PDB file of all heavy atoms in Angstrom:
ATOM      1  N   GLY A   1      81.687 117.227 144.224  1.00  0.00           N
ATOM      2  CA  GLY A   1      82.998 116.673 144.555  1.00  0.00           C
ATOM      3  C   GLY A   1      82.977 115.767 145.773  1.00  0.00           C
ATOM      4  O   GLY A   1      84.004 115.530 146.396  1.00  0.00           O
ATOM      5  N   ILE A   2      81.806 115.253 146.112  1.00  0.00           N
ATOM      6  CA  ILE A   2      81.652 114.369 147.276  1.00  0.00           C
ATOM      7  C   ILE A   2      81.195 112.996 146.790  1.00  0.00           C
ATOM      8  O   ILE A   2      80.193 112.882 146.088  1.00  0.00           O
ATOM      9  CB  ILE A   2      80.633 114.936 148.284  1.00  0.00           C
ATOM     10  CG1 ILE A   2      81.099 116.292 148.810  1.00  0.00           C
ATOM     11  CG2 ILE A   2      80.407 113.958 149.429  1.00  0.00           C
ATOM     12  CD1 ILE A   2      80.080 117.002 149.695  1.00  0.00           C
ATOM     13  N   ASP A   3      81.942 111.974 147.175  1.00  0.00           N
ATOM     14  CA  ASP A   3      81.584 110.598 146.841  1.00  0.00           C
ATOM     15  C   ASP A   3      80.596 110.093 147.888  1.00  0.00           C
ATOM     16  O   ASP A   3      80.955 109.908 149.044  1.00  0.00           O
ATOM     17  CB  ASP A   3      82.842 109.730 146.822  1.00  0.00           C
ATOM     18  CG  ASP A   3      82.544 108.266 146.562  1.00  0.00           C
ATOM     19  OD1 ASP A   3      81.520 107.958 145.919  1.00  0.00           O
ATOM     20  OD2 ASP A   3      83.345 107.417 147.010  1.00  0.00           O
ATOM     21  N   VAL A   4      79.332 109.893 147.486  1.00  0.00           N
ATOM     22  CA  VAL A   4      78.306 109.386 148.397  1.00  0.00           C
ATOM     23  C   VAL A   4      78.228 107.873 148.210  1.00  0.00           C
ATOM     24  O   VAL A   4      77.919 107.396 147.127  1.00  0.00           O
ATOM     25  CB  VAL A   4      76.930 110.023 148.118  1.00  0.00           C
ATOM     26  CG1 VAL A   4      75.877 109.455 149.055  1.00  0.00           C
ATOM     27  CG2 VAL A   4      77.011 111.539 148.254  1.00  0.00           C
ATOM     28  N   GLU A   5      78.537 107.145 149.270  1.00  0.00           N
ATOM     29  CA  GLU A   5      78.517 105.683 149.220  1.00  0.00           C
ATOM     30  C   GLU A   5      77.399 105.167 150.120  1.00  0.00           C
ATOM     31  O   GLU A   5      77.331 105.509 151.295  1.00  0.00           O
ATOM     32  CB  GLU A   5      79.849 105.114 149.703  1.00  0.00           C
ATOM     33  CG  GLU A   5      79.906 103.605 149.692  1.00  0.00           C
ATOM     34  CD  GLU A   5      81.207 103.071 150.276  1.00  0.00           C
ATOM     35  OE1 GLU A   5      82.241 103.758 150.150  1.00  0.00           O
ATOM     36  OE2 GLU A   5      81.178 101.976 150.856  1.00  0.00           O
ATOM     37  N   VAL A   6      76.528 104.345 149.551  1.00  0.00           N
ATOM     38  CA  VAL A   6      75.437 103.758 150.316  1.00  0.00           C
ATOM     39  C   VAL A   6      75.969 102.501 151.007  1.00  0.00           C
ATOM     40  O   VAL A   6      76.516 101.610 150.363  1.00  0.00           O
ATOM     41  CB  VAL A   6      74.240 103.405 149.406  1.00  0.00           C
ATOM     42  CG1 VAL A   6      73.161 102.681 150.184  1.00  0.00           C
ATOM     43  CG2 VAL A   6      73.679 104.670 148.773  1.00  0.00           C
ATOM     44  N   VAL A   7      75.841 102.467 152.331  1.00  0.00           N
ATOM     45  CA  VAL A   7      76.301 101.317 153.124  1.00  0.00           C
ATOM     46  C   VAL A   7      75.218 100.248 153.055  1.00  0.00           C
ATOM     47  O   VAL A   7      74.087 100.468 153.493  1.00  0.00           O
ATOM     48  CB  VAL A   7      76.573 101.733 154.593  1.00  0.00           C
ATOM     49  CG1 VAL A   7      77.006 100.534 155.413  1.00  0.00           C
ATOM     50  CG2 VAL A   7      77.610 102.832 154.639  1.00  0.00           C
ATOM     51  N   GLN A   8      75.571  99.110 152.483  1.00  0.00           N
ATOM     52  CA  GLN A   8      74.616  98.011 152.323  1.00  0.00           C
ATOM     53  C   GLN A   8      74.569  97.154 153.573  1.00  0.00           C
ATOM     54  O   GLN A   8      75.568  96.968 154.257  1.00  0.00           O
ATOM     55  CB  GLN A   8      75.008  97.136 151.124  1.00  0.00           C
ATOM     56  CG  GLN A   8      75.026  97.895 149.814  1.00  0.00           C
ATOM     57  CD  GLN A   8      73.659  98.408 149.409  1.00  0.00           C
ATOM     58  OE1 GLN A   8      72.641  97.795 149.687  1.00  0.00           O
ATOM     59  NE2 GLN A   8      73.639  99.569 148.762  1.00  0.00           N
ATOM     60  N   ARG A   9      73.399  96.615 153.851  1.00  0.00           N
ATOM     61  CA  ARG A   9      73.233  95.698 154.976  1.00  0.00           C
ATOM     62  C   ARG A   9      73.830  94.346 154.610  1.00  0.00           C
ATOM     63  O   ARG A   9      73.700  93.906 153.471  1.00  0.00           O
ATOM     64  CB  ARG A   9      71.761  95.518 155.317  1.00  0.00           C
ATOM     65  CG  ARG A   9      71.129  96.780 155.853  1.00  0.00           C
ATOM     66  CD  ARG A   9      69.736  96.465 156.395  1.00  0.00           C
ATOM     67  NE  ARG A   9      69.085  97.664 156.848  1.00  0.00           N
ATOM     68  CZ  ARG A   9      69.251  98.190 158.048  1.00  0.00           C
ATOM     69  NH1 ARG A   9      70.049  97.617 158.905  1.00  0.00           N
ATOM     70  NH2 ARG A   9      68.627  99.298 158.390  1.00  0.00           N
ATOM     71  N   PRO A  10      74.440  93.663 155.587  1.00  0.00           N
ATOM     72  CA  PRO A  10      74.962  92.325 155.291  1.00  0.00           C
ATOM     73  C   PRO A  10      73.819  91.349 155.048  1.00  0.00           C
ATOM     74  O   PRO A  10      72.700  91.544 155.525  1.00  0.00           O
ATOM     75  CB  PRO A  10      75.752  91.950 156.550  1.00  0.00           C
ATOM     76  CG  PRO A  10      75.279  92.873 157.606  1.00  0.00           C
ATOM     77  CD  PRO A  10      74.714  94.084 156.950  1.00  0.00           C
ATOM     78  N   ARG A  11      74.086  90.304 154.324  1.00  0.00           N
ATOM     79  CA  ARG A  11      73.061  89.326 153.948  1.00  0.00           C
ATOM     80  C   ARG A  11      72.916  88.205 154.966  1.00  0.00           C
ATOM     81  O   ARG A  11      72.346  87.177 154.667  1.00  0.00           O
ATOM     82  CB  ARG A  11      73.398  88.728 152.582  1.00  0.00           C
ATOM     83  CG  ARG A  11      73.537  89.761 151.496  1.00  0.00           C
ATOM     84  CD  ARG A  11      72.338  89.722 150.591  1.00  0.00           C
ATOM     85  NE  ARG A  11      72.509  90.668 149.499  1.00  0.00           N
ATOM     86  CZ  ARG A  11      71.669  91.645 149.272  1.00  0.00           C
ATOM     87  NH1 ARG A  11      70.627  91.817 150.049  1.00  0.00           N
ATOM     88  NH2 ARG A  11      71.856  92.460 148.267  1.00  0.00           N
ATOM     89  N   VAL A  12      73.423  88.381 156.180  1.00  0.00           N
ATOM     90  CA  VAL A  12      73.324  87.347 157.210  1.00  0.00           C
ATOM     91  C   VAL A  12      72.085  87.574 158.061  1.00  0.00           C
ATOM     92  O   VAL A  12      71.573  88.687 158.165  1.00  0.00           O
ATOM     93  CB  VAL A  12      74.592  87.329 158.112  1.00  0.00           C
ATOM     94  CG1 VAL A  12      75.812  86.956 157.296  1.00  0.00           C
ATOM     95  CG2 VAL A  12      74.793  88.655 158.800  1.00  0.00           C
ATOM     96  N   LYS A  13      71.601  86.507 158.684  1.00  0.00           N
ATOM     97  CA  LYS A  13      70.439  86.615 159.562  1.00  0.00           C
ATOM     98  C   LYS A  13      70.850  87.181 160.917  1.00  0.00           C
ATOM     99  O   LYS A  13      71.982  87.017 161.354  1.00  0.00           O
ATOM    100  CB  LYS A  13      69.805  85.240 159.777  1.00  0.00           C
ATOM    101  CG  LYS A  13      68.891  84.804 158.683  1.00  0.00           C
ATOM    102  CD  LYS A  13      68.184  83.534 159.091  1.00  0.00           C
ATOM    103  CE  LYS A  13      66.800  83.518 158.507  1.00  0.00           C
ATOM    104  NZ  LYS A  13      66.015  82.416 159.009  1.00  0.00           N
ATOM    105  N   GLY A  14      69.893  87.809 161.577  1.00  0.00           N
ATOM    106  CA  GLY A  14      70.143  88.328 162.919  1.00  0.00           C
ATOM    107  C   GLY A  14      70.673  89.744 162.896  1.00  0.00           C
ATOM    108  O   GLY A  14      70.876  90.353 161.857  1.00  0.00           O
ATOM    109  N   PHE A  15      70.907  90.263 164.099  1.00  0.00           N
ATOM    110  CA  PHE A  15      71.379  91.635 164.254  1.00  0.00           C
ATOM    111  C   PHE A  15      72.846  91.723 163.862  1.00  0.00           C
ATOM    112  O   PHE A  15      73.676  90.932 164.317  1.00  0.00           O
ATOM    113  CB  PHE A  15      71.198  92.101 165.696  1.00  0.00           C
ATOM    114  CG  PHE A  15      71.765  93.465 165.946  1.00  0.00           C
ATOM    115  CD1 PHE A  15      71.117  94.591 165.468  1.00  0.00           C
ATOM    116  CD2 PHE A  15      72.946  93.629 166.642  1.00  0.00           C
ATOM    117  CE1 PHE A  15      71.638  95.857 165.693  1.00  0.00           C
ATOM    118  CE2 PHE A  15      73.472  94.888 166.877  1.00  0.00           C
ATOM    119  CZ  PHE A  15      72.809  96.004 166.393  1.00  0.00           C
ATOM    120  N   GLN A  16      73.163  92.659 163.024  1.00  0.00           N
ATOM    121  CA  GLN A  16      74.538  92.904 162.599  1.00  0.00           C
ATOM    122  C   GLN A  16      74.745  94.411 162.562  1.00  0.00           C
ATOM    123  O   GLN A  16      74.225  95.082 161.676  1.00  0.00           O
ATOM    124  CB  GLN A  16      74.753  92.292 161.213  1.00  0.00           C
ATOM    125  CG  GLN A  16      76.174  92.277 160.746  1.00  0.00           C
ATOM    126  CD  GLN A  16      76.989  91.189 161.406  1.00  0.00           C
ATOM    127  OE1 GLN A  16      76.449  90.252 161.958  1.00  0.00           O
ATOM    128  NE2 GLN A  16      78.289  91.329 161.368  1.00  0.00           N
ATOM    129  N   PRO A  17      75.472  94.985 163.540  1.00  0.00           N
ATOM    130  CA  PRO A  17      75.672  96.440 163.506  1.00  0.00           C
ATOM    131  C   PRO A  17      76.507  96.852 162.299  1.00  0.00           C
ATOM    132  O   PRO A  17      77.458  96.166 161.938  1.00  0.00           O
ATOM    133  CB  PRO A  17      76.398  96.742 164.817  1.00  0.00           C
ATOM    134  CG  PRO A  17      77.002  95.457 165.235  1.00  0.00           C
ATOM    135  CD  PRO A  17      76.157  94.365 164.660  1.00  0.00           C
ATOM    136  N   LEU A  18      76.123  97.942 161.688  1.00  0.00           N
ATOM    137  CA  LEU A  18      76.865  98.484 160.558  1.00  0.00           C
ATOM    138  C   LEU A  18      77.806  99.554 161.103  1.00  0.00           C
ATOM    139  O   LEU A  18      77.350 100.592 161.563  1.00  0.00           O
ATOM    140  CB  LEU A  18      75.910  99.088 159.533  1.00  0.00           C
ATOM    141  CG  LEU A  18      74.819  98.151 159.009  1.00  0.00           C
ATOM    142  CD1 LEU A  18      73.858  98.904 158.119  1.00  0.00           C
ATOM    143  CD2 LEU A  18      75.433  96.984 158.285  1.00  0.00           C
ATOM    144  N   PRO A  19      79.126  99.314 161.075  1.00  0.00           N
ATOM    145  CA  PRO A  19      80.065 100.233 161.731  1.00  0.00           C
ATOM    146  C   PRO A  19      79.905 101.690 161.315  1.00  0.00           C
ATOM    147  O   PRO A  19      79.902 102.572 162.158  1.00  0.00           O
ATOM    148  CB  PRO A  19      81.434  99.692 161.307  1.00  0.00           C
ATOM    149  CG  PRO A  19      81.193  98.265 160.979  1.00  0.00           C
ATOM    150  CD  PRO A  19      79.796  98.191 160.441  1.00  0.00           C
ATOM    151  N   LYS A  20      79.766 101.971 160.043  1.00  0.00           N
ATOM    152  CA  LYS A  20      79.661 103.363 159.607  1.00  0.00           C
ATOM    153  C   LYS A  20      78.307 103.950 159.988  1.00  0.00           C
ATOM    154  O   LYS A  20      78.195 105.111 160.329  1.00  0.00           O
ATOM    155  CB  LYS A  20      79.902 103.446 158.110  1.00  0.00           C
ATOM    156  CG  LYS A  20      81.330 103.090 157.740  1.00  0.00           C
ATOM    157  CD  LYS A  20      81.508 102.999 156.254  1.00  0.00           C
ATOM    158  CE  LYS A  20      82.913 102.633 155.891  1.00  0.00           C
ATOM    159  NZ  LYS A  20      83.222 101.238 156.055  1.00  0.00           N
ATOM    160  N   ARG A  21      77.255 103.155 159.914  1.00  0.00           N
ATOM    161  CA  ARG A  21      75.910 103.616 160.263  1.00  0.00           C
ATOM    162  C   ARG A  21      75.786 103.808 161.773  1.00  0.00           C
ATOM    163  O   ARG A  21      75.041 104.662 162.230  1.00  0.00           O
ATOM    164  CB  ARG A  21      74.889 102.590 159.753  1.00  0.00           C
ATOM    165  CG  ARG A  21      73.476 102.877 160.110  1.00  0.00           C
ATOM    166  CD  ARG A  21      72.881 103.968 159.260  1.00  0.00           C
ATOM    167  NE  ARG A  21      71.501 104.188 159.676  1.00  0.00           N
ATOM    168  CZ  ARG A  21      70.890 105.326 159.633  1.00  0.00           C
ATOM    169  NH1 ARG A  21      71.491 106.376 159.151  1.00  0.00           N
ATOM    170  NH2 ARG A  21      69.659 105.442 160.037  1.00  0.00           N
ATOM    171  N   TRP A  22      76.520 103.042 162.549  1.00  0.00           N
ATOM    172  CA  TRP A  22      76.431 103.108 164.002  1.00  0.00           C
ATOM    173  C   TRP A  22      76.859 104.478 164.520  1.00  0.00           C
ATOM    174  O   TRP A  22      76.388 104.943 165.553  1.00  0.00           O
ATOM    175  CB  TRP A  22      77.273 101.997 164.624  1.00  0.00           C
ATOM    176  CG  TRP A  22      76.940 101.777 166.051  1.00  0.00           C
ATOM    177  CD1 TRP A  22      77.710 102.108 167.126  1.00  0.00           C
ATOM    178  CD2 TRP A  22      75.742 101.208 166.594  1.00  0.00           C
ATOM    179  NE1 TRP A  22      77.066 101.778 168.296  1.00  0.00           N
ATOM    180  CE2 TRP A  22      75.852 101.221 167.989  1.00  0.00           C
ATOM    181  CE3 TRP A  22      74.591 100.705 166.025  1.00  0.00           C
ATOM    182  CZ2 TRP A  22      74.866 100.745 168.818  1.00  0.00           C
ATOM    183  CZ3 TRP A  22      73.605 100.218 166.858  1.00  0.00           C
ATOM    184  CH2 TRP A  22      73.749 100.246 168.234  1.00  0.00           C
ATOM    185  N   VAL A  23      77.740 105.161 163.815  1.00  0.00           N
ATOM    186  CA  VAL A  23      78.212 106.479 164.243  1.00  0.00           C
ATOM    187  C   VAL A  23      77.041 107.451 164.345  1.00  0.00           C
ATOM    188  O   VAL A  23      76.879 108.138 165.354  1.00  0.00           O
ATOM    189  CB  VAL A  23      79.287 107.014 163.271  1.00  0.00           C
ATOM    190  CG1 VAL A  23      79.651 108.452 163.599  1.00  0.00           C
ATOM    191  CG2 VAL A  23      80.522 106.140 163.309  1.00  0.00           C
ATOM    192  N   ILE A  24      76.204 107.520 163.331  1.00  0.00           N
ATOM    193  CA  ILE A  24      75.078 108.467 163.349  1.00  0.00           C
ATOM    194  C   ILE A  24      74.017 108.026 164.351  1.00  0.00           C
ATOM    195  O   ILE A  24      73.404 108.859 165.013  1.00  0.00           O
ATOM    196  CB  ILE A  24      74.490 108.668 161.928  1.00  0.00           C
ATOM    197  CG1 ILE A  24      73.524 109.859 161.905  1.00  0.00           C
ATOM    198  CG2 ILE A  24      73.783 107.425 161.432  1.00  0.00           C
ATOM    199  CD1 ILE A  24      74.164 111.187 162.020  1.00  0.00           C
TER     200      ILE A  24
END
């Protein structure tokens, strides 16, 4: 009963923080 969503990396060059990944 848990929706597991994989957070994809953006397709832009350079450093781009992933808001949901940044928490962990």
Side-chain angles (χ1 to χ4, degrees):
I2 299 174
D3 177 27
V4 179
E5 180 184 329
V6 175
V7 178
Q8 300 296 327
R9 293 190 183 275
R11 303 254 183 238
V12 296
K13 278 188 147 188
F15 175 74
Q16 189 77 18
L18 304 174
K20 293 172 181 78
R21 176 77 180 148
W22 196 252
V23 173
I24 192 72

